Amino acid sequence: MTGRRRTFSTKTKAFTAVLTTVAATGIAIPVIMSERGEPATSANAGTAHTPVSSVQKLHPDAACYEVRVPVSVKKRGNAHIYGELCRPRHQSTTSKTVQLLVPGSTYNHSYYDMPVADGRYSYVSAALDAGFSTFNIDRLATGKSTLPPSPQYTLDTGTDALHQVITQLRDGQIKDRAFDKVVWVGHSLGSSMAWAQAAKYTHDVDAFVLTSMSHVVRDEEPSDDGPGQDIPFEIKAKDDPKFRGAVNDPGYLTTNAGMRQFFYYPPNADPAVIEADERLKDVSTAADSDSTPLPPAKSPSRAIEVPTLLVTGDKDQYCTAGTCTPETMLANERPYYSDLAGLTSIVVPDSGHNVQLHRNAPETNARILNWIRTTR
């Protein structure tokens, strides 16, 4: 598959890399039957006489709902995006800002709400405690969202679906709550998708927080402590016990057993988080790794015209070579963004690719939330 890195090192070993997403051109969306068979229900359905949802149990001090947001797709019919909408019970001007949480490749909504250590690794919990609302989603072709036939799915398909979700968040069509501002918080692929989103839908989002993604991936030498070149990093999802019988499309992939550890910097990682990461892993498609490296002037990220924060772990291959600092990141990334982005950078010490799932996650999330608060 193009765009996938297969090197193994003591830092971020063999994680799936996306250098850039497709340019913002016309989007054709031909799919729409979920292999997992979830109905494309209304985003407002099931508000009465329903059992307490799992997300509500995780966040008892907030008002949380599991929803399936209907999205329109061309040529074939309807699809849905699964998401978990949480609002602080005490409404304020801050709670009128919703953070759209967009996970990376082979991840679902659990990335932002990892059920380990009483919420220590939950960005959702941190955002709610700070007074923000969150909409934590499974991207199209992942998790409980519609899984289209893999050859027909593109990243443009995914960004178009998210545009419809954003529109419904603003219009109050999801649980009858209209939001004044939308902040896109992406991880890895969820960050690079933001570039294409901005190129096609310039005014969708009020600010971007782009974690674990940049325009240049630093080279790293293979290491003897990697899994070995004869062990594939990914396998077909249908051959993995987790997905056997649920995902039959051979174009859907997942990480091989034991590979999730390579998204972390082990000295600063909680083994319980890595175990949960393995247990909750999701799927990817070839579109997740399609990359067309473009010069800065032609990068879709230059379409971003709102405040943008970059958050990168210093052990991540998306951090600059040598000693990675906020200054080196800005020097590398500024040519790929317009001046209107007002680019800001946070480099998290002792952190690998999953920058919000290391032991210093509370500090990382606090810095992100403070930026959002002061930027709104």
Side-chain angles (χ1 to χ4, degrees), residues 41-65:
T41 56
S42 167
N44 288 304
T47 57
H49 307 295
T50 56
V52 176
S53 68
S54 59
V55 65
Q56 183 65 78
K57 291 178 181 178
L58 284 173
H59 306 287
D61 295 330
C64 294
Y65 311 90

Side-chain angles (χ1 to χ4, degrees), residues 101-245:
L101 310 182
V102 187
S105 180
T106 72
Y107 280 93
N108 53 41
H109 66 277
S110 63
Y111 177 83
Y112 289 104
D113 205 7
M114 192 63 70
V116 176
D118 294 327
R120 176 182 178 85
Y121 300 98
S122 170
Y123 181 77
V124 171
S125 292
L128 290 169
D129 289 346
F132 292 101
S133 300
T134 61
F135 193 47
N136 188 17
I137 67 162
D138 293 344
R139 292 178 294 101
L140 195 65
T142 63
K144 298 179 183 178
S145 294
T146 299
L147 299 189
S150 58
Q152 299 176 359
Y153 173 75
T154 68
L155 291 181
D156 278 347
T157 304
T159 55
D160 190 63
L162 289 181
H163 164 68
Q164 296 173 59
V165 169
I166 292 167
T167 299
Q168 293 183 57
L169 285 169
R170 290 191 182 278
D171 292 347
Q173 297 178 43
I174 302 176
K175 291 298 176 183
D176 299 316
R177 180 68 171 93
F179 293 96
D180 295 340
K181 294 185 178 181
V182 178
V183 177
W184 179 304
V185 181
H187 168 247
S188 193
L189 175 65
S191 293
S192 60
M193 286 180 71
W195 302 338
Q197 183 82 18
K200 188 171 179 66
Y201 303 108
T202 305
H203 303 294
D204 262 6
V205 174
D206 296 284
F208 288 100
V209 176
L210 307 181
T211 76
S212 307
M213 179 54 57
S214 68
H215 290 81
V216 177
V217 182
R218 69 188 182 200
D219 291 327
E220 294 191 340
E221 293 299 322
S223 171
D224 292 339
D225 63 353
Q229 297 297 328
D230 56 335
I231 301 176
F233 187 74
E234 294 165 320
I235 60 174
K236 293 178 180 179
K238 70 183 186 67
D239 296 332
D240 189 294
K242 175 179 171 66
F243 302 103
R244 192 170 294 141

Side-chain angles (χ1 to χ4, degrees), residues 300-323:
S301 57
R302 287 195 63 84
I304 292 179
E305 298 180 351
V306 295
T308 300
L309 172 66
L310 306 179
V311 185
T312 320
D314 67 345
K315 311 301 183 185
D316 192 346
Q317 284 182 283
Y318 287 111
C319 223
T320 53
T323 301

